Amino acid sequence: MLSSPALTATQALHKIDQGFAIQSLLQDCLAQISAREPVVKAWQCLNSAAAQQKAERLDCQENYRGVLGGIPVSVKDIIATADLPTEWGTPIYRDRNLGYDAAVVERLRQAGAIILGKTTTTEYASGQPTQTTNPHNPNHTPGASSSGSAAAVAAGMVPLAIGTQSVGSVLRPAAYCGVLGFKPSFGTISRFGVMPVSREIDQVGCFARSVDDLALLCSVLMGSDRRDPDCWTQPFSFEVQRLIQPPTIGLLRGPFWAQVENEGQAALMGQAESLAAAGAELTEVALSADFTAYFSHIETLMMSGLAVNHGKDLAQHPDQVSPKLRGLIEQARSLPPLAYGRARQAVVHYHRYLNSLFGRVDAILTPVTTGPAPIGLENTGSPLFCALWTLCGLPAISIPAGTAANGLPLAVQLVAPPRADARLLGIADWLIQSSKFAMN
Amino acid sequence: MLSSPALTATQALHKIDQGFAIQSLLQDCLAQISAREPVVKAWQCLNSAAAQQKAERLDCQENYRGVLGGIPVSVKDIIATADLPTEWGTPIYRDRNLGYDAAVVERLRQAGAIILGKTTTTEYASGQPTQTTNPHNPNHTPGASSSGSAAAVAAGMVPLAIGTQSVGSVLRPAAYCGVLGFKPSFGTISRFGVMPVSREIDQVGCFARSVDDLALLCSVLMGSDRRDPDCWTQPFSFEVQRLIQPPTIGLLRGPFWAQVENEGQAALMGQAESLAAAGAELTEVALSADFTAYFSHIETLMMSGLAVNHGKDLAQHPDQVSPKLRGLIEQARSLPPLAYGRARQAVVHYHRYLNSLFGRVDAILTPVTTGPAPIGLENTGSPLFCALWTLCGLPAISIPAGTAANGLPLAVQLVAPPRADARLLGIADWLIQSSKFAMN
């Protein structure tokens, strides 16, 4: 029997406080990895020896160990680590050691976390999938591009993982793997040391199995950093902003509702009903016609970013770049000259419209995926329902919402206004608690 | 004799506190406008009647009048005002009333300022000049695009004016007109209600005749606003951060030093010497080779923004758009597809490099223009020396530095790291005080 792997970070920290050995916690994680990794394949590389040394050192440490003292964390392999290779999901950078820590890794280490290893990423966090399988059924994709991070948390290998989202790469795999996935507001977490897809949309996100854990992780990761010109958060203490009364929720089916499978539609409507039953005020909201272009706009930014940042890798190693990535870069090179500017302008209009919605509702409840994880590993699923919030830099969270007939997880998405991250977690927590109550 | 127009806002507020009538202060401003406006032509429209009513009301008001209670301010005519036309410098929008206040105008009114009118802007804040002349010599340009705002402050018509800078539109006219021009860090002042040139580079700036006035104005203007997706400053009290010891200054001639005229070069080097004499530590700094592309990058963003935001005006009113603006929009439409993305990426690299410089120096001392205001009104001068700091969103200030042989003002520029606005004003104040000392 494995006890601790199912522990959340918050629970584990509580046990450590009461004398539970960090080495035992780590052993339980490593045992879970041994048991499940042959099938799940979540890890690009594992740092067991260093992790064990650190656990031993922390166990001997008399003084305060930090906010995440002793908690094993996995990091997506597009994020730089000084002591492990950073391969970006491409054979071009196999075994490449960048020799420095990304800002988020620095912060994790300062907080006493144990960086247990790097979890898989699709090629350049783009379309070419990894070998990682869905922990709920190895014949299904775990989603992408933070595939390994989502799978590792879902399989109980680590309580916390770091990923990134430029279109739908945190919330989608979280939804498919049945864990919480949270992408905070744009600009709150430094991207220094994170491989760029596109400056305009790249955002760091978190995987966990409880809202408290997400808040704990954010309190460590958030903060200003001059090395990321778009990261200007002033340091603040971050914790879940608990609700004192039921929230007002805007139910948004959106322009692409018809693309949501029946089970996904039922999951969203069921969640809405259970929220209403618990006392939330529910109101249907809609987007204006110009929102139908959002996916094309985010594609422009994503493809252009890949071309600008990684086009030279394609030129130098054409045989080691997947046809998918080559296609994206070539498409970027034939975009209309004003496409990028139009995308950036559209976001200003979207913000204006969404501001008016958020004048009426505390958060938006909306689909996160088209349904449960697709079969096979080649199709990692559609980021369509995550893309708008990524494009606008709004905080968004994926929350498990039951299971499909095939046993795979379903999920819904909650979105809040810019910088209302703490409040969004409060609403998410309220939703989860009230759903539990409804099930009893 | 006109007494008050030469008063700074800080001095005027002090006099008002001691019983000086706001109506008298306003009368002095209006008298100065009567005397000089026929030649200077700084105003697009003047709101004398409403201003006088407001002054009267404020004089009768017993309770606190606000941070800028009773101070006349002028606003560049690309900034929306509910009670006055907003014409964007184009006949297409002659007499157009937008019916709402820009965020900065709201804030000015809340602070008790008197919006005395709108000062001229070049066409769409772009290249086609206004009729405004340089207050020091009407045969010379006042600079652009915030031509009227700079000229109005320089001519003693108002103590404070608001402008905008997308390339060099605050600091350049400030330099040519011999007043202080300050462009704070990107994201600190909301652009809601400001005509967009380009989201990436548009920034609100201030004109004044003292550093204390700039700080006063910034304390009113700065603050977060959800209506501008890039404005995330958390509210803070803003005041000059006075130095407790002499600063370390990086003297930067930069890759375009050869384009600075002899008098401009002498002004910069003279300023550097006087700083050193006053105890500052001076060190020469240089930019890496890739900085030579910065002007081309900002042009890409500026032209693309004009095309995206105003291209339809060109289509609908081709006969009312200047050849200059038409040229910029057409150039944008034939840019390479990756130009915009490359410009945005370059800024990330520039930031990284400049961060390393700012690890060694408190501020950079560098040219602000190629020399004094050019002759004629058609050539508004080059924004070359302002563009890099605008592109990178760094706070920058233009400080008068003597006069050229032809009697026109010379100036230098100080630049600080992102968000070091209060410290930059402190260094500017120190520079001004130590120069005064050196002259005695």
Side-chain angles (χ1 to χ4, degrees), chain A residues 167 201 252-257 259 287-301 343 346-347 350 366-367 382-392 413:
Chain A
V167 186
I201 46 178
L252 175 71
R253 298 189 233 211
F256 303 112
W257 178 246
Q259 293 188 40
L287 301 176
S288 57
D290 58 337
F291 276 89
T292 51
Y294 77 74
F295 201 72
S296 141
H297 288 316
I298 200 168
E299 278 187 321
T300 292
L301 300 177
V347 175
Y350 294 163
T366 195
S382 168
L384 182 61
F385 289 92
C386 303
L388 174 60
W389 322 110
T390 313
L391 181 64
C392 294
Q413 182 173 209

Short mmCIF file of all heavy atoms in Angstrom, two decimals, chain A residues 167 201 252-257 259 287-301 343 346-347 350 366-367 382-392 413:
data_model
loop_
_atom_site.label_atom_id
_atom_site.label_comp_id
_atom_site.label_asym_id
_atom_site.label_seq_id
_atom_site.Cartn_x
_atom_site.Cartn_y
_atom_site.Cartn_z
N VAL A 167 -1.38 28.20 -25.39
CA VAL A 167 -2.73 28.12 -25.97
C VAL A 167 -3.62 27.36 -24.97
O VAL A 167 -4.48 27.96 -24.33
CB VAL A 167 -2.73 27.45 -27.36
CG1 VAL A 167 -4.13 27.54 -27.98
CG2 VAL A 167 -1.72 28.11 -28.31
N ILE A 201 1.86 35.31 -25.26
CA ILE A 201 0.89 34.35 -24.73
C ILE A 201 1.51 33.32 -23.78
O ILE A 201 0.77 32.62 -23.08
CB ILE A 201 0.16 33.61 -25.88
CG1 ILE A 201 1.16 33.14 -26.95
CG2 ILE A 201 -0.89 34.53 -26.51
CD1 ILE A 201 0.52 32.35 -28.10
N LEU A 252 -21.06 30.35 -19.75
CA LEU A 252 -20.71 30.72 -21.13
C LEU A 252 -20.54 29.46 -21.97
O LEU A 252 -19.58 28.71 -21.79
CB LEU A 252 -19.41 31.53 -21.14
CG LEU A 252 -18.88 31.87 -22.54
CD1 LEU A 252 -19.76 32.92 -23.22
CD2 LEU A 252 -17.45 32.36 -22.46
N ARG A 253 -21.48 29.23 -22.88
CA ARG A 253 -21.29 28.11 -23.81
C ARG A 253 -20.38 28.53 -24.95
O ARG A 253 -19.58 27.77 -25.43
CB ARG A 253 -22.64 27.66 -24.34
CG ARG A 253 -23.54 27.15 -23.19
CD ARG A 253 -24.78 26.51 -23.70
NE ARG A 253 -25.95 27.12 -23.06
CZ ARG A 253 -27.08 26.48 -22.82
NH1 ARG A 253 -27.22 25.22 -23.18
NH2 ARG A 253 -28.08 27.09 -22.24
N GLY A 254 -20.50 29.76 -25.38
CA GLY A 254 -19.57 30.32 -26.37
C GLY A 254 -19.85 29.87 -27.79
O GLY A 254 -20.68 29.00 -28.04
N PRO A 255 -19.13 30.51 -28.73
CA PRO A 255 -19.42 30.30 -30.15
C PRO A 255 -19.10 28.88 -30.64
O PRO A 255 -19.52 28.51 -31.74
CB PRO A 255 -18.53 31.34 -30.85
CG PRO A 255 -17.46 31.69 -29.85
CD PRO A 255 -18.07 31.50 -28.51
N PHE A 256 -18.37 28.11 -29.86
CA PHE A 256 -17.95 26.79 -30.34
C PHE A 256 -18.60 25.65 -29.54
O PHE A 256 -18.11 24.52 -29.53
CB PHE A 256 -16.42 26.69 -30.32
CG PHE A 256 -15.77 27.77 -31.14
CD1 PHE A 256 -15.03 28.78 -30.53
CD2 PHE A 256 -15.93 27.80 -32.52
CE1 PHE A 256 -14.45 29.79 -31.28
CE2 PHE A 256 -15.35 28.81 -33.28
CZ PHE A 256 -14.60 29.81 -32.65
N TRP A 257 -19.70 25.97 -28.90
CA TRP A 257 -20.43 25.01 -28.07
C TRP A 257 -20.76 23.73 -28.84
O TRP A 257 -20.70 22.62 -28.28
CB TRP A 257 -21.70 25.66 -27.55
CG TRP A 257 -22.61 24.80 -26.70
CD1 TRP A 257 -23.88 24.39 -27.03
CD2 TRP A 257 -22.33 24.27 -25.40
NE1 TRP A 257 -24.41 23.63 -26.00
CE2 TRP A 257 -23.47 23.54 -24.98
CE3 TRP A 257 -21.24 24.35 -24.54
CZ2 TRP A 257 -23.56 22.90 -23.76
CZ3 TRP A 257 -21.32 23.69 -23.32
CH2 TRP A 257 -22.45 22.97 -22.93
N GLN A 259 -19.10 22.18 -30.80
CA GLN A 259 -17.95 21.27 -30.90
C GLN A 259 -17.73 20.48 -29.61
O GLN A 259 -16.83 19.63 -29.56
CB GLN A 259 -16.69 22.04 -31.28
CG GLN A 259 -16.77 22.61 -32.68
CD GLN A 259 -15.45 23.21 -33.15
OE1 GLN A 259 -14.40 22.66 -32.88
NE2 GLN A 259 -15.52 24.34 -33.84
N LEU A 287 -20.69 35.90 -25.91
CA LEU A 287 -19.62 36.72 -26.48
C LEU A 287 -20.14 37.39 -27.75
O LEU A 287 -21.03 36.87 -28.41
CB LEU A 287 -18.41 35.86 -26.80
CG LEU A 287 -17.79 35.11 -25.61
CD1 LEU A 287 -16.64 34.21 -26.07
CD2 LEU A 287 -17.29 36.09 -24.55
N SER A 288 -19.55 38.53 -28.09
CA SER A 288 -19.94 39.22 -29.32
C SER A 288 -19.33 38.49 -30.53
O SER A 288 -18.44 37.65 -30.39
CB SER A 288 -19.50 40.68 -29.27
OG SER A 288 -18.11 40.74 -29.08
N ALA A 289 -19.82 38.85 -31.71
CA ALA A 289 -19.47 38.11 -32.93
C ALA A 289 -17.96 38.09 -33.21
O ALA A 289 -17.44 37.09 -33.72
CB ALA A 289 -20.22 38.70 -34.12
N ASP A 290 -17.25 39.19 -32.85
CA ASP A 290 -15.83 39.24 -33.21
C ASP A 290 -14.98 38.23 -32.43
O ASP A 290 -13.81 38.01 -32.78
CB ASP A 290 -15.27 40.66 -33.06
CG ASP A 290 -15.44 41.21 -31.65
OD1 ASP A 290 -16.34 40.72 -30.93
OD2 ASP A 290 -14.68 42.10 -31.27
N PHE A 291 -15.55 37.61 -31.41
CA PHE A 291 -14.79 36.60 -30.65
C PHE A 291 -14.56 35.32 -31.47
O PHE A 291 -13.69 34.53 -31.12
CB PHE A 291 -15.51 36.27 -29.34
CG PHE A 291 -15.21 37.23 -28.23
CD1 PHE A 291 -15.98 38.37 -28.05
CD2 PHE A 291 -14.16 37.01 -27.36
CE1 PHE A 291 -15.71 39.26 -27.03
CE2 PHE A 291 -13.88 37.89 -26.32
CZ PHE A 291 -14.67 39.03 -26.16
N THR A 292 -15.32 35.12 -32.53
CA THR A 292 -15.12 33.88 -33.30
C THR A 292 -13.72 33.84 -33.93
O THR A 292 -13.24 32.78 -34.30
CB THR A 292 -16.17 33.74 -34.42
OG1 THR A 292 -16.19 34.95 -35.17
CG2 THR A 292 -17.54 33.47 -33.85
N ALA A 293 -13.07 35.01 -34.00
CA ALA A 293 -11.72 35.05 -34.60
C ALA A 293 -10.62 34.76 -33.59
O ALA A 293 -9.44 34.72 -33.96
CB ALA A 293 -11.49 36.42 -35.23
N TYR A 294 -10.96 34.52 -32.33
CA TYR A 294 -9.89 34.46 -31.32
C TYR A 294 -8.89 33.36 -31.58
O TYR A 294 -7.69 33.52 -31.35
CB TYR A 294 -10.45 34.41 -29.89
CG TYR A 294 -11.00 33.08 -29.40
CD1 TYR A 294 -10.17 32.03 -29.08
CD2 TYR A 294 -12.37 32.90 -29.23
CE1 TYR A 294 -10.69 30.82 -28.61
CE2 TYR A 294 -12.89 31.71 -28.76
CZ TYR A 294 -12.05 30.67 -28.45
OH TYR A 294 -12.55 29.49 -28.00
N PHE A 295 -9.36 32.23 -32.09
CA PHE A 295 -8.42 31.13 -32.26
C PHE A 295 -7.43 31.42 -33.38
O PHE A 295 -6.24 31.11 -33.28
CB PHE A 295 -9.16 29.81 -32.51
CG PHE A 295 -8.29 28.63 -32.19
CD1 PHE A 295 -7.99 28.31 -30.88
CD2 PHE A 295 -7.72 27.85 -33.21
CE1 PHE A 295 -7.14 27.24 -30.57
CE2 PHE A 295 -6.88 26.79 -32.91
CZ PHE A 295 -6.59 26.48 -31.59
N SER A 296 -7.93 32.05 -34.41
CA SER A 296 -7.03 32.44 -35.50
C SER A 296 -6.00 33.46 -35.00
O SER A 296 -4.83 33.41 -35.37
CB SER A 296 -7.88 32.97 -36.66
OG SER A 296 -7.29 34.05 -37.27
N HIS A 297 -6.42 34.37 -34.12
CA HIS A 297 -5.47 35.35 -33.58
C HIS A 297 -4.39 34.68 -32.72
O HIS A 297 -3.21 35.00 -32.84
CB HIS A 297 -6.21 36.40 -32.74
CG HIS A 297 -7.01 37.36 -33.57
ND1 HIS A 297 -6.54 37.93 -34.72
CD2 HIS A 297 -8.29 37.83 -33.41
CE1 HIS A 297 -7.47 38.73 -35.24
NE2 HIS A 297 -8.54 38.67 -34.47
N ILE A 298 -4.79 33.74 -31.87
CA ILE A 298 -3.78 33.13 -31.01
C ILE A 298 -2.85 32.24 -31.85
O ILE A 298 -1.65 32.14 -31.58
CB ILE A 298 -4.39 32.38 -29.81
CG1 ILE A 298 -3.34 32.20 -28.69
CG2 ILE A 298 -4.97 31.03 -30.21
CD1 ILE A 298 -3.90 31.73 -27.37
N GLU A 299 -3.40 31.64 -32.89
CA GLU A 299 -2.54 30.85 -33.79
C GLU A 299 -1.49 31.73 -34.46
O GLU A 299 -0.33 31.33 -34.61
CB GLU A 299 -3.40 30.17 -34.86
CG GLU A 299 -4.05 28.89 -34.39
CD GLU A 299 -4.74 28.15 -35.54
OE1 GLU A 299 -5.37 28.83 -36.39
OE2 GLU A 299 -4.66 26.91 -35.57
N THR A 300 -1.90 32.92 -34.86
CA THR A 300 -0.94 33.86 -35.46
C THR A 300 0.22 34.14 -34.51
O THR A 300 1.39 34.08 -34.90
CB THR A 300 -1.65 35.19 -35.80
OG1 THR A 300 -2.58 34.95 -36.86
CG2 THR A 300 -0.66 36.26 -36.23
N LEU A 301 -0.12 34.44 -33.25
CA LEU A 301 0.92 34.77 -32.28
C LEU A 301 1.80 33.55 -31.99
O LEU A 301 3.03 33.66 -31.88
CB LEU A 301 0.28 35.29 -30.98
CG LEU A 301 -0.56 36.56 -31.13
CD1 LEU A 301 -1.21 36.94 -29.80
CD2 LEU A 301 0.27 37.72 -31.66
N ALA A 343 -3.99 40.76 -34.36
CA ALA A 343 -4.21 39.87 -33.21
C ALA A 343 -4.05 40.65 -31.90
O ALA A 343 -4.87 40.54 -30.98
CB ALA A 343 -3.23 38.70 -33.26
N ALA A 346 -6.98 42.95 -31.44
CA ALA A 346 -8.22 42.24 -31.09
C ALA A 346 -8.30 42.00 -29.59
O ALA A 346 -9.37 42.12 -28.98
CB ALA A 346 -8.29 40.91 -31.85
N VAL A 347 -7.16 41.70 -28.99
CA VAL A 347 -7.14 41.42 -27.56
C VAL A 347 -7.63 42.63 -26.76
O VAL A 347 -8.32 42.48 -25.75
CB VAL A 347 -5.73 40.97 -27.11
CG1 VAL A 347 -5.68 40.79 -25.60
CG2 VAL A 347 -5.34 39.68 -27.81
N TYR A 350 -11.31 42.48 -26.99
CA TYR A 350 -11.83 41.39 -26.15
C TYR A 350 -11.82 41.79 -24.68
O TYR A 350 -12.78 41.54 -23.95
CB TYR A 350 -10.99 40.12 -26.34
CG TYR A 350 -11.06 39.51 -27.72
CD1 TYR A 350 -10.09 38.59 -28.14
CD2 TYR A 350 -12.08 39.82 -28.61
CE1 TYR A 350 -10.14 38.01 -29.39
CE2 TYR A 350 -12.14 39.25 -29.87
CZ TYR A 350 -11.16 38.34 -30.26
OH TYR A 350 -11.20 37.77 -31.50
N THR A 366 -17.29 27.65 -18.08
CA THR A 366 -17.26 27.39 -19.52
C THR A 366 -16.53 26.08 -19.78
O THR A 366 -15.80 25.58 -18.91
CB THR A 366 -16.59 28.62 -20.22
OG1 THR A 366 -16.84 28.60 -21.60
CG2 THR A 366 -15.10 28.69 -19.93
N PRO A 367 -16.72 25.46 -20.95
CA PRO A 367 -16.01 24.20 -21.20
C PRO A 367 -14.49 24.41 -21.19
O PRO A 367 -14.02 25.51 -21.47
CB PRO A 367 -16.47 23.79 -22.61
CG PRO A 367 -17.74 24.53 -22.84
CD PRO A 367 -17.62 25.81 -22.08
N SER A 382 -8.03 19.26 -28.51
CA SER A 382 -8.10 20.64 -28.98
C SER A 382 -7.97 21.65 -27.84
O SER A 382 -8.63 21.52 -26.81
CB SER A 382 -9.43 20.87 -29.68
OG SER A 382 -9.62 22.25 -29.89
N PRO A 383 -7.14 22.68 -28.05
CA PRO A 383 -7.03 23.75 -27.05
C PRO A 383 -8.06 24.86 -27.26
O PRO A 383 -7.96 25.92 -26.63
CB PRO A 383 -5.61 24.27 -27.28
CG PRO A 383 -5.38 24.09 -28.74
CD PRO A 383 -6.20 22.88 -29.18
N LEU A 384 -9.04 24.62 -28.13
CA LEU A 384 -10.00 25.65 -28.53
C LEU A 384 -10.62 26.38 -27.35
O LEU A 384 -10.75 27.61 -27.37
CB LEU A 384 -11.10 25.00 -29.38
CG LEU A 384 -12.18 25.92 -29.95
CD1 LEU A 384 -11.58 26.96 -30.89
CD2 LEU A 384 -13.26 25.10 -30.68
N PHE A 385 -10.98 25.64 -26.30
CA PHE A 385 -11.72 26.27 -25.20
C PHE A 385 -10.82 26.91 -24.15
O PHE A 385 -11.30 27.57 -23.24
CB PHE A 385 -12.68 25.25 -24.56
CG PHE A 385 -13.83 24.94 -25.47
CD1 PHE A 385 -13.78 23.87 -26.36
CD2 PHE A 385 -14.95 25.77 -25.49
CE1 PHE A 385 -14.83 23.62 -27.23
CE2 PHE A 385 -15.99 25.52 -26.36
CZ PHE A 385 -15.95 24.44 -27.24
N CYS A 386 -9.52 26.70 -24.26
CA CYS A 386 -8.58 27.37 -23.36
C CYS A 386 -8.02 28.64 -23.99
O CYS A 386 -7.56 29.56 -23.29
CB CYS A 386 -7.40 26.46 -23.04
SG CYS A 386 -7.87 24.88 -22.32
N ALA A 387 -8.04 28.70 -25.33
CA ALA A 387 -7.25 29.68 -26.07
C ALA A 387 -7.63 31.13 -25.78
O ALA A 387 -6.76 32.00 -25.67
CB ALA A 387 -7.35 29.40 -27.56
N LEU A 388 -8.93 31.40 -25.67
CA LEU A 388 -9.35 32.80 -25.50
C LEU A 388 -8.79 33.40 -24.22
O LEU A 388 -8.31 34.54 -24.20
CB LEU A 388 -10.88 32.89 -25.49
CG LEU A 388 -11.45 34.28 -25.19
CD1 LEU A 388 -10.98 35.32 -26.21
CD2 LEU A 388 -12.97 34.24 -25.13
N TRP A 389 -8.82 32.61 -23.15
CA TRP A 389 -8.39 33.12 -21.83
C TRP A 389 -6.88 33.25 -21.79
O TRP A 389 -6.35 34.15 -21.12
CB TRP A 389 -8.94 32.21 -20.73
CG TRP A 389 -10.33 31.76 -21.07
CD1 TRP A 389 -10.73 30.49 -21.42
CD2 TRP A 389 -11.51 32.59 -21.21
NE1 TRP A 389 -12.06 30.48 -21.73
CE2 TRP A 389 -12.58 31.74 -21.61
CE3 TRP A 389 -11.76 33.95 -21.03
CZ2 TRP A 389 -13.87 32.22 -21.84
CZ3 TRP A 389 -13.04 34.42 -21.24
CH2 TRP A 389 -14.08 33.57 -21.64
N THR A 390 -6.19 32.36 -22.49
CA THR A 390 -4.74 32.47 -22.60
C THR A 390 -4.39 33.74 -23.37
O THR A 390 -3.53 34.52 -22.96
CB THR A 390 -4.16 31.26 -23.35
OG1 THR A 390 -4.72 30.07 -22.82
CG2 THR A 390 -2.65 31.22 -23.24
N LEU A 391 -5.07 33.93 -24.49
CA LEU A 391 -4.83 35.10 -25.35
C LEU A 391 -5.00 36.39 -24.56
O LEU A 391 -4.24 37.35 -24.73
CB LEU A 391 -5.80 35.06 -26.53
CG LEU A 391 -5.71 36.16 -27.58
CD1 LEU A 391 -4.38 36.11 -28.31
CD2 LEU A 391 -6.87 36.05 -28.58
N CYS A 392 -6.04 36.44 -23.71
CA CYS A 392 -6.34 37.65 -22.94
C CYS A 392 -5.60 37.69 -21.61
O CYS A 392 -5.73 38.67 -20.87
CB CYS A 392 -7.84 37.75 -22.71
SG CYS A 392 -8.76 38.02 -24.25
N GLN A 413 -14.20 24.58 -16.73
CA GLN A 413 -13.24 25.67 -16.58
C GLN A 413 -13.91 26.87 -15.91
O GLN A 413 -15.04 27.22 -16.24
CB GLN A 413 -12.74 26.08 -17.97
CG GLN A 413 -11.69 27.17 -17.98
CD GLN A 413 -11.09 27.40 -19.38
OE1 GLN A 413 -9.96 27.80 -19.51
NE2 GLN A 413 -11.84 27.12 -20.43
#
